[in-house]
Amino acid sequence: YVLDTLELNHAVANASSAISADGRYAFLLDGYLLIIDPDSLEVIHSELLSNELEDGQITACGQQFIVTGTENSRFTGHMGYYTAVYDSSGQSKRFYTNQTAKKVQEEWGYIQVLDRYSKDAKVYALLKTNWDHYLAVYDSTEDVFTLKELPYKYTSFIPAPEGEQLLMNDAAYFYIQPVE
């Protein structure tokens, strides 16, 4: 298949894709959501979610798609971690923006996703602001978002036999902590 992005009128800087359990494809292109049914070769859903979505990623969980990313509005000054859940036909099931309690720019400075992974119905993300690092967890089954400030400046997730671990290193040491 070839996905024509000509109508976006710009080069795609951030792209992600996923395949649902029923075989439908979803693409997230700079905040633009596109869902395709490969059986009928038709676009099922097409929508601009946010033109300020950065670090966007789409994940499939069964027959639904979970969209995550950050919004750093230069116009309103609001920063936040963005989540939205769509079923595989493109119907919005849950739609949130600025999950970080609508912090204003003076409190966050800037929010960035350092790393993320998904397991079962949960999406985990390491977030960095100008001052702190956070672990964000979105559970799509329970529809619960949690945000925990981390004591160290962890930069990534690494796989381990016990599950994913948080990783940070400096000139002398590696610091590893289980994801709670």
Side-chain angles (χ1 to χ4, degrees):
Y1 300 102
V2 175
L3 182 62
D4 184 0
T5 59
L6 185 62
E7 71 182 56
L8 295 178
N9 289 329
H10 69 278
V12 175
N14 186 274
S16 179
S17 62
I19 302 174
S20 66
D22 58 357
R24 293 188 171 160
Y25 299 115
F27 298 91
L28 183 64
L29 310 163
D30 291 339
Y32 185 82
L33 176 64
L34 183 66
I35 300 175
I36 298 173
D37 183 357
D39 295 332
S40 63
L41 297 175
E42 291 186 31
V43 172
I44 295 174
H45 186 77
S46 174
E47 176 184 1
L48 177 63
L49 302 179
S50 171
N51 56 4
E52 294 181 343
L53 187 66
E54 299 173 3
D55 301 318
Q57 182 178 21
I58 191 161
T59 304
C61 180
Q63 292 187 9
Q64 62 185 9
F65 296 108
I66 303 169
V67 177
T68 59
T70 59
E71 286 186 317
N72 291 291
S73 176
R74 282 117 183 120
F75 301 108
T76 65
H78 287 280
M79 311 298 173
Y81 186 66
Y82 175 100
T83 60
V85 180
Y86 286 81
D87 67 18
S88 64
S89 63
Q91 296 299 312
S92 175
K93 298 181 79 170
R94 295 179 200 97
F95 186 82
Y96 303 105
T97 187
N98 290 324
Q99 292 245 26
T100 48
K102 297 189 177 180
K103 300 289 186 182
V104 293
Q105 190 168 5
E106 293 79 30
E107 295 174 41
W108 285 106
Y110 185 83
I111 189 167
Q112 170 186 7
V113 176
L114 296 176
D115 197 7
R116 76 181 113 213
Y117 78 98
S118 59
K119 182 177 181 183
D120 302 324
K122 293 183 180 180
V123 177
Y124 299 84
L126 277 172
L127 305 178
K128 175 184 182 268
T129 66
N130 282 12
W131 300 279
D132 300 305
H133 286 66
Y134 296 88
L135 174 64
V137 181
Y138 177 67
D139 184 338
S140 66
T141 304
E142 299 294 324
D143 189 27
V144 174
F145 176 81
T146 57
L147 185 70
K148 177 184 171 187
E149 186 174 344
L150 297 171
Y152 301 105
K153 296 181 178 187
Y154 292 105
T155 56
S156 61
F157 295 106
I158 59 170
E162 307 83 33
E164 297 290 321
Q165 307 278 317
L166 297 167
L167 173 70
M168 179 191 111
N169 66 300
D170 59 22
Y173 298 101
F174 285 95
Y175 302 89
I176 298 174
Q177 174 184 326
V179 175
E180 297 174 13

